[in-house]
Amino acid sequence: MLLPYDEAGSGPAVVLLHARPADRSMWRDHLPRLAAAGYRAIALDLPGYGEAVLPDGHGAEPAQDVLSTLDQLGAGRFSLVGNSLGALVALQTAATAPERVEGLVLIGYRPHDQPATEGLDLAWHRERTALAARDLEGAVRVAVETWLGPKASPEIRTHAARMQRGNLLLRQAHGEPPRATDPDLAGLRPLASRTLVAVGEHDLPDFSTGGRALADAIGASGPVVAPSAAHLVPLEQPKWLCVLLQGFLTQPAGQTAA
């Protein structure tokens, strides 16, 4: 499956993978910044999100679609930057083709087998209840309230709502996308010196816990805390994140981010 994509710039490839409530447009402010810094920035819609409508019977792991798309784009080696679902798919991609990965930046990660806190369970329940009542806009409001921080601007809230609304409509029309499986993190330890974990200051505690466990399991740096952001760090803090990426991706292997 060739995934829809946006790209900008030339140089080392940096692949941007979005969160579950989002699509590739969450990276629109990052593309010109990374291009200006000398990177080829590639933002993908993951299967079943944004414009990536799933073909009938498609059951491939998302990482396979990511790798197939990058093959077609001629990106042999690359760094992966993923938020939430995107972090999981980045890990899955790195586990599938570690020889192609230059770096990993993983934001807002939580493994499937980690017990959910009361706050996360409540958010899921509120979304399911709204959808069961055919209240699409209610489900969208739950997502905006849950995944954005208190200082998110009206423009950011509108953008987040538009992405989530589009994904929910896509799901109603075509069903749930394939679920990415959690990889064996111990197998990713060779990438430890090129892996950075981050979490939003106002994210649910599930993702701080998941981020710490991820960094410990791989031996990675972090978690670095993104100020004034919740779960959708790239949407709320694009400038901060681009500065972090440039500093981390250009440093010699084995050093940690400041």
Side-chain angles (χ1 to χ4, degrees):
M1 181 178 180
L2 178 64
L3 299 174
Y5 65 92
D6 295 319
E7 69 172 305
S10 60
V14 178
V15 181
L16 307 169
L17 304 176
H18 63 79
R20 184 177 184 272
D23 58 43
R24 74 182 192 273
S25 71
M26 81 178 302
W27 303 104
R28 64 188 183 189
D29 289 339
H30 303 71
L31 295 174
R33 293 178 186 274
L34 291 172
Y39 293 98
R40 181 190 182 190
I42 304 170
L44 303 177
D45 273 339
L46 294 172
Y49 295 85
E51 296 178 324
V53 179
L54 289 171
D56 290 341
H58 184 78
E61 289 271 16
Q64 296 294 339
D65 291 321
V66 169
L67 288 168
S68 294
T69 301
L70 295 176
D71 286 343
Q72 294 187 60
L73 293 176
R77 291 182 64 83
F78 43 79
S79 296
L80 293 162
V81 183
N83 179 203
S84 189
L85 169 65
L88 173 56
V89 177
L91 284 166
Q92 188 188 65
T93 304
T96 303
E99 73 284 354
R100 298 179 63 177
V101 177
E102 298 279 3
L104 279 169
V105 178
L106 308 164
I107 308 158
Y109 172 77
R110 170 190 170 274
H112 288 123
D113 62 359
Q114 178 182 297
T117 63
E118 183 178 352
L120 183 57
D121 262 337
L122 177 60
W124 287 340
H125 173 73
R126 290 176 63 207
E127 180 181 290
R128 288 193 299 266
T129 300
L131 292 174
R134 299 177 184 264
D135 182 7
L136 179 70
E137 292 308 311
V140 170
R141 285 194 297 274
V142 171
V144 172
E145 293 167 6
T146 302
W147 306 123
L148 291 178
K151 295 184 179 180
S153 69
E155 292 78 13
I156 288 173
R157 293 180 184 279
T158 297
H159 186 181
R162 183 169 62 250
M163 291 188 292
Q164 175 70 338
R165 185 181 300 112
N167 287 335
L168 292 176
L169 289 170
L170 194 63
R171 217 163 290 151
Q172 288 177 0
H174 298 281
E176 286 287 333
R179 175 170 165 168
T181 55
D182 292 292
D184 176 14
L185 296 181
L188 293 171
R189 291 191 70 87
L191 294 173
S193 66
R194 302 303 299 147
T195 301
L196 177 66
V197 178
V199 65
E201 178 184 9
H202 299 297
D203 205 350
L204 290 166
D206 305 73
F207 301 98
S208 297
T209 300
R212 287 193 297 271
L214 174 61
D216 290 344
I218 298 178
S221 301
V224 176
V225 178
S228 302
H231 194 59
L232 302 182
V233 170
L235 197 62
E236 294 194 74
Q237 289 287 7
K239 182 177 180 181
W240 177 90
L241 182 55
C242 283
V243 171
L244 181 74
L245 292 178
Q246 291 170 48
F248 178 69
L249 296 176
T250 56
Q251 71 188 6
Q255 292 188 8
T256 56

